[in-house]
Amino acid sequence: MKIHEYQAKQLLREAGVSVPAGIMATSAAEAAAAFTTLGGSLAVVKAQIHAGGRGKGTIKDNPKQHGVQLVRSAAEATSVAGALLGHELVTIQTGPEGQAVRRVLVEAGCEIARELYLGIVIDRAAGLPVLMASSAGGMNIEDVAAKTPELIFKQNFCPDAGLQSYQVRKLCAMLDLKGTSVRSAEKFMKSLCKLFVSLDCSLVEINPLVVTKAGDLLALDAKISFDDNALFRHPQLEELRDTSEEDPNELRAGKAGLSYVQLEGNIGCLVNGAGLAMATMDLVKLHGGEPANFLDVGGGANTEQVTEAFRILLSDKNVKAVLVNIFGGIMRCTTIASAIVEAYKTVGFNVPLVVRLEGTEVEQGRKILKESGVDIIAASDLTDAANKVVAATS
Amino acid sequence: MSVLINKNTRVVCQGITGKAGEFHSKNCIEYGTKLVAGVTPGKGGQTALGVPVFDTVHEAVEKEGVNAAMIFVPAAFTADAILEAVDAGCNVVVAITEGVPVLDMVRVYNRLRIADCGLRIGQSEIRNPKSEIRLIGPNCPGVITPEECKIGIMPGYIHKKGPVGVMSRSGTLTYEAVWQLSNLGLGQSTCIGLGGDPIVGTSFIDLLKLYEADPETEAILMMGEIGGTAEEEAAAFAKQHVTKPMAAFIAGRTAPKGKRMGHAGAIISGGKGTAAEKIAALESAGIEVAQSPADMGAAMQRAIKRKR
């Protein structure tokens, strides 16, 4: 689960990590009031959407307006907030249609001496969380990793013992931090690592981390996402969820216990199991088709859930044909067959449906389909299924 | 032979009185698995599927001599269940449960690493310190040695006894591969699903060592997927240490960057973990790579032929 920057900064503040003073605003008037309350001569107005690349991103119908802008008066805060709120911001992560800006963060400006990078993720190879630091702050860390990996420094830490002081000193030496900055870094880094563990985060990223002219460390930007599997331990985080930032079909699928990812193509795929679902997408593409989605109905889905999966698939206007690929294990082919019949009755199929069934209760499943009279194209194996579904779209 | 499990393996199911635990325990027993005990805290003294239920795994080890555990407890309790099984002396622990918090697995993984060094876990000495502890999963289909022992949720009938060791990060994709192998007349020694989570108990490399050492395994088929670097590491290891013919398939070559494809582990992030990188690493290690998921069985056949 992702959250907004202003929410992430509130969590950082509560955890003892230094962040600039800031106020969230949902209207131009609130943004002006926020500027006045902050009381400085300089502030930053930042569009709050879940996607990254906001500073370089621009408003869809107003390409001169960027998603992050410095302002020097309440009047200027009003006009910038007005130009952002209610408009679509297009960044490298949003796709060409952009994401509507519903909130802005008005934040006090600060005097920047240096920009660094800090990030925490799970290091799979080490089986531990890892704190990554870089002197190349403010840049896309993926580019830094690709071009100048020697500028990224890593320290694994144990979730229960936390980051150790010697590790902070090591990182400070690598980042060339001295004097007061080392003391500031000790509190900053340790608190950040503690927050990562205590809230079961999957990502905490501070980019840029600024060193002020006074030598203190400050989180100028903040990105936090949580491990969905651990949300049950943190019910208080549920209220930070902003469903307007999520794809409506992905949201709907999530509620039905299905795993769905929207893609750009025209062949809807319904598969059991994540690996087979990915392989099915690959197969479609190999045969010249374009998958419209990734959809894993999982192993334990019942007829109702699978029927909902069909509704989601068929609600995508791009879908010109559907491929059902089921290898029954826990999932029984009879469940899928019944769901196909049910979806046919309640939703209706306006596009061709190619079905490949194998595994648990396959004979009974095929029988249900045959006797129902539902108009399907049966496929005998993977290649046959791919050929038939691609042919059906052309 | 075979790896990890065989007809002598004695299995306890943790969570046997739950719906999924009971259903799949029943299937395992019908397949021929010596599933001889169940554990559900608070239900000790009852019986389920004709086997005794205990409050703790320790009792199941003591009274029924179990040496392997199959875990079906809810995600919130899975880490605890794994550590209990290890502490009780089970050498093979198979965690089927999906949705385990990743930091729980970080803690389990590091406890097991300590155990592997022969140190003490908690208060009790490891029952059989000479034998390695092997955790499979979580979020996995399990392990099957065809016609001998099935610990997991895979459909038994698609498997056939034979020479191919199968390992994968995905469940249904493994079934697809096994089905293709069986239809080509290529049976399997042992099939193992490692699980789709970022941190799982066993890596491809761990299994390559076991398959390479197992006289019954003559060839190895591996199914990987995007995300992480486990396949690249396996390729590098195989290049140096594996003499048996190998084939592989990588799922997710059409997956977009930054989107999680169902498995928590299946995500291309930081420009790492793409299918192209993995396929290149596998090919450079001399492993036959299936270009399509319909080609997995045939790729194994080609690899065997080439090696001869």
Side-chain angles (χ1 to χ4, degrees):
Chain A
M1 177 178 119
K2 292 180 181 173
I3 58 172
H4 287 293
E5 177 196 1
Y6 78 92
Q7 297 168 322
K9 282 182 169 163
Q10 184 54 35
L11 293 175
L12 291 176
R13 208 172 272 132
E14 287 163 12
V17 179
S18 303
V19 294
I23 299 165
M24 191 273 284
T26 56
S27 70
E30 277 179 27
F35 184 91
T36 311
T37 308
L38 290 174
S41 58
L42 184 72
V44 192
V45 178
K46 307 179 84 176
Q48 298 294 291
I49 60 170
H50 281 179
R54 294 166 298 160
K56 289 204 181 77
T58 55
I59 293 295
K60 196 176 173 185
D61 44 13
N62 180 11
K64 282 190 183 144
Q65 179 62 56
H66 288 267
V68 176
Q69 194 177 325
L70 283 173
V71 294
R72 289 184 170 76
S73 67
E76 210 183 338
T78 310
S79 77
V80 171
L84 292 172
L85 288 164
H87 297 272
E88 270 81 34
L89 180 62
V90 180
T91 79
I92 48 163
Q93 288 183 8
T94 61
E97 65 287 351
Q99 177 72 41
V101 180
R102 295 179 180 83
R103 298 175 181 83
V104 294
L105 173 63
V106 184
E107 200 168 73
C110 63
E111 293 201 281
I112 300 172
R114 288 180 70 196
E115 293 194 353
L116 309 173
Y117 169 94
L118 278 187
I120 309 173
V121 292
I122 296 289
D123 178 348
R124 297 187 200 194
L128 286 168
V130 60
L131 173 65
M132 300 177 293
S134 172
S135 49
M139 314 217 332
N140 183 349
I141 198 66
E142 296 178 8
D143 294 340
V144 179
K147 286 175 202 146
T148 48
E150 69 280 4
L151 294 182
I152 298 179
F153 313 113
K154 294 178 179 176
Q155 290 290 305
N156 287 113
F157 61 93
C158 163
D160 300 314
L163 191 74
Q164 300 298 302
S165 296
Y166 80 88
Q167 296 181 295
V168 176
R169 293 195 298 272
K170 263 168 93 175
L171 287 172
C172 284
M174 290 163 175
L175 295 169
D176 198 25
L177 290 173
K178 298 199 167 74
T180 46
S181 296
V182 177
R183 280 192 293 279
S184 183
E186 168 120 14
K187 179 153 189 265
F188 195 104
M189 291 180 184
K190 283 186 172 175
S191 304
L192 204 65
C193 292
K194 212 168 159 184
L195 170 94
F196 181 90
V197 173
S198 67
L199 291 181
D200 280 291
C201 300
S202 53
L203 169 78
V204 171
E205 190 173 56
I206 310 296
N207 189 22
L209 162 71
V210 304
V211 184
T212 64
K213 288 196 174 152
D216 294 320
L217 271 62
L218 198 61
L220 208 59
D221 196 3
K223 193 191 272 182
I224 296 181
S225 12
F226 302 105
D227 177 3
D228 292 329
N229 288 343
L231 285 175
F232 71 89
R233 287 204 274 249
H234 311 284
Q236 79 283 9
L237 295 177
E238 201 49 46
E239 64 189 49
L240 301 181
R241 190 187 286 274
D242 183 355
T243 51
S244 65
E245 292 283 327
E246 292 171 37
D247 179 272
N249 273 346
E250 289 178 19
L251 197 65
R252 194 172 156 192
K255 276 188 188 143
L258 310 162
S259 176
Y260 178 93
V261 178
Q262 179 78 53
L263 302 168
E264 318 265 285
N266 60 7
I267 295 176
C269 302
L270 187 152
V271 190
N272 65 326
L276 190 61
M278 271 190 280
T280 304
M281 288 163 47
D282 297 343
L283 183 78
V284 164
K285 190 125 175 175
L286 267 173
H287 287 260
E290 279 294 333
N293 64 280
F294 165 97
L295 173 54
D296 170 14
V297 296
N302 55 31
T303 305
E304 178 44 45
Q305 283 165 294
V306 180
T307 309
E308 175 71 359
F310 274 109
R311 285 193 203 104
I312 293 168
L313 271 190
L314 296 168
S315 72
D316 179 352
K317 298 277 176 292
N318 291 332
V319 169
K320 296 286 176 276
V322 173
L323 170 58
V324 175
N325 182 20
I326 299 295
F327 207 115
I330 321 187
M331 172 60 74
R332 301 167 205 203
C333 290
T334 44
T335 305
I336 295 290
S338 308
I340 292 175
V341 176
E342 181 65 24
Y344 178 75
K345 282 190 205 146
T346 57
V347 198
F349 294 131
N350 44 6
V351 296
L353 184 72
V354 177
V355 180
R356 184 271 180 143
L357 291 182
E358 206 57 73
T360 311
E361 297 183 357
V362 59
E363 290 311 323
Q364 299 97 305
R366 286 184 185 144
K367 191 159 167 249
I368 291 173
L369 286 178
K370 202 168 177 193
E371 286 169 359
S372 71
V374 179
D375 188 16
I376 62 153
I377 304 167
S380 57
D381 61 27
L382 286 183
T383 306
D384 187 37
N387 282 332
K388 282 176 173 161
V389 78
V390 171
T393 57
S394 55
Chain B
M1 285 284 285
S2 66
V3 306
L4 294 180
I5 61 171
N6 56 38
K7 58 182 187 301
N8 300 318
T9 304
R10 293 176 70 81
V11 184
V12 59
C13 175
Q14 291 167 265
I16 195 169
T17 56
K19 202 175 147 200
E22 184 174 3
F23 179 76
H24 292 290
S25 292
K26 187 165 160 275
N27 284 349
C28 291
I29 292 169
E30 282 167 5
Y31 191 77
T33 304
K34 290 199 177 67
L35 197 150
V36 294
V39 166
T40 299
K43 296 199 176 169
Q46 302 181 5
T47 57
L49 304 168
V51 302
V53 177
F54 300 99
D55 284 322
T56 68
V57 182
H58 286 81
E59 288 169 273
V61 168
E62 205 166 286
K63 301 205 170 105
E64 299 297 331
V66 305
N67 50 14
M70 172 167 79
I71 297 179
F72 273 99
V73 306
F77 312 117
T78 299
D80 186 60
I82 294 169
L83 293 173
E84 181 185 358
V86 172
D87 188 63
C90 294
N91 292 120
V92 174
V93 180
V94 182
I96 308 296
T97 308
E98 66 177 308
V100 180
V102 69
L103 278 172
D104 284 9
M105 281 313 300
V106 166
R107 294 184 174 99
V108 168
Y109 185 86
N110 286 288
R111 287 286 289 277
L112 295 189
R113 195 145 56 182
I114 293 169
D116 260 353
C117 298
L119 300 176
R120 294 165 73 95
I121 303 180
Q123 294 305 307
S124 58
E125 199 80 40
I126 298 158
R127 196 180 174 79
N128 186 359
K130 277 190 195 126
S131 169
E132 231 175 50
I133 295 162
R134 216 10 89 209
L135 167 65
I136 305 291
N139 190 14
C140 81
V143 184
I144 182 168
T145 292
E147 294 160 36
E148 293 194 26
C149 180
K150 161 175 132 94
I151 304 182
I153 59 179
M154 62 291 277
Y157 78 93
I158 61 172
H159 300 81
K160 207 177 136 178
K161 202 169 188 53
V164 183
V166 178
M167 57 181 189
S168 170
R169 275 161 73 177
S170 147
T172 48
L173 188 60
T174 315
Y175 311 161
E176 178 68 45
V178 166
W179 183 240
Q180 290 176 16
L181 287 173
S182 293
N183 283 339
L184 289 168
L186 282 171
Q188 304 90 39
S189 56
T190 302
C191 305
I192 302 169
L194 298 176
D197 284 355
I199 295 183
V200 290
T202 296
S203 70
F204 285 129
I205 294 178
D206 296 328
L207 295 185
L208 283 174
K209 288 180 197 162
L210 296 178
Y211 284 135
E212 179 68 17
D214 172 37
E216 247 178 44
T217 302
E218 293 168 21
I220 303 162
L221 177 59
M222 159 172 144
M223 266 72 60
E225 62 191 30
I226 54 160
T229 53
E231 291 79 4
E232 289 89 327
E233 288 152 20
F237 180 86
K239 199 173 185 172
Q240 295 289 323
H241 305 286
V242 177
T243 58
K244 299 177 179 177
M246 265 187 86
F249 173 72
I250 301 292
R253 56 167 84 188
T254 57
K257 222 176 118 179
K259 291 265 190 185
R260 196 165 66 96
M261 294 288 132
H263 283 160
I267 182 166
I268 300 170
S269 55
K272 281 276 164 200
T274 65
E277 282 177 302
K278 290 176 189 292
I279 291 168
L282 292 165
E283 283 178 340
S284 84
I287 296 167
E288 181 78 29
V289 178
Q291 297 304 316
S292 150
D295 183 45
M296 296 183 289
M300 185 75 267
Q301 228 171 13
R302 288 197 298 277
I304 294 171
K305 237 176 226 161
R306 208 178 52 184
K307 207 89 173 186
R308 272 182 189 146

